[in-house]
Amino acid sequence: MANIFSIPSSLPNRELWEALISTDNVLIERIVSTGQVTPLGEWYDQDRDEWVILLQGEASLVYGDGSQIQLTPGDYVLIPAHQKHRVEYTTFEPPCIWLAIHFISK
């Protein structure tokens, strides 16, 4: 048993990525961010669709077309495969806790 909100007391100065379930068809992961963002000029361009919900903290995402969304606890979004996006902002206190589900849609 584990708790999605349990954060290590000595959280490293980097994002924490934990695979909760990983198969050929799906990856479910918990991500804990403490102020980290996607480096300038870099974009996520993933082969799988990603459904992500922000459980704690605040964050913002920017898409390749320049549009931006703000996320607060409970907000979720579906990011289609190969939609370029980046994390522009995450809170340090409280840390952002994300639950991300990566999958291939038919």
Side-chain angles (χ1 to χ4, degrees), residues 43-57:
W43 296 91
Y44 289 108
D45 184 0
Q46 302 163 159
D47 293 333
R48 296 180 177 188
D49 295 326
E50 178 182 6
W51 181 89
V52 64
I53 184 169
L54 185 65
L55 301 173
Q56 176 179 289

Side-chain angles (χ1 to χ4, degrees), residues 5-103:
F5 294 104
S6 177
I7 298 174
S9 59
S10 62
L11 188 65
N13 190 21
R14 60 178 175 79
E15 281 186 305
L16 176 66
W17 299 69
E18 296 176 305
L20 305 177
I21 296 173
S22 181
T23 71
D24 291 340
N25 299 321
V26 68
L27 168 63
I28 301 175
E29 62 185 350
R30 177 178 87 145
I31 306 163
V32 179
S33 305
T34 53
Q36 291 83 11
V37 298
T38 309
L40 286 175
E42 292 185 22
W43 296 91
Y44 289 108
D45 184 0
Q46 302 163 159
D47 293 333
R48 296 180 177 188
D49 295 326
E50 178 182 6
W51 181 89
V52 64
I53 184 169
L54 185 65
L55 301 173
Q56 176 179 289
E58 295 181 8
S60 65
L61 300 176
V62 175
Y63 294 100
D65 66 2
S67 62
Q68 184 171 355
I69 59 170
Q70 307 297 319
L71 299 164
T72 59
D75 291 339
Y76 61 89
V77 62
L78 176 64
I79 304 169
H82 298 292
Q83 181 174 21
K84 290 185 179 181
H85 63 287
R86 50 181 282 109
V87 178
E88 189 76 12
Y89 169 77
T90 64
T91 54
F92 174 79
E93 187 59 44
C96 288
I97 300 176
W98 311 77
L99 182 65
I101 302 172
H102 302 264
F103 60 96

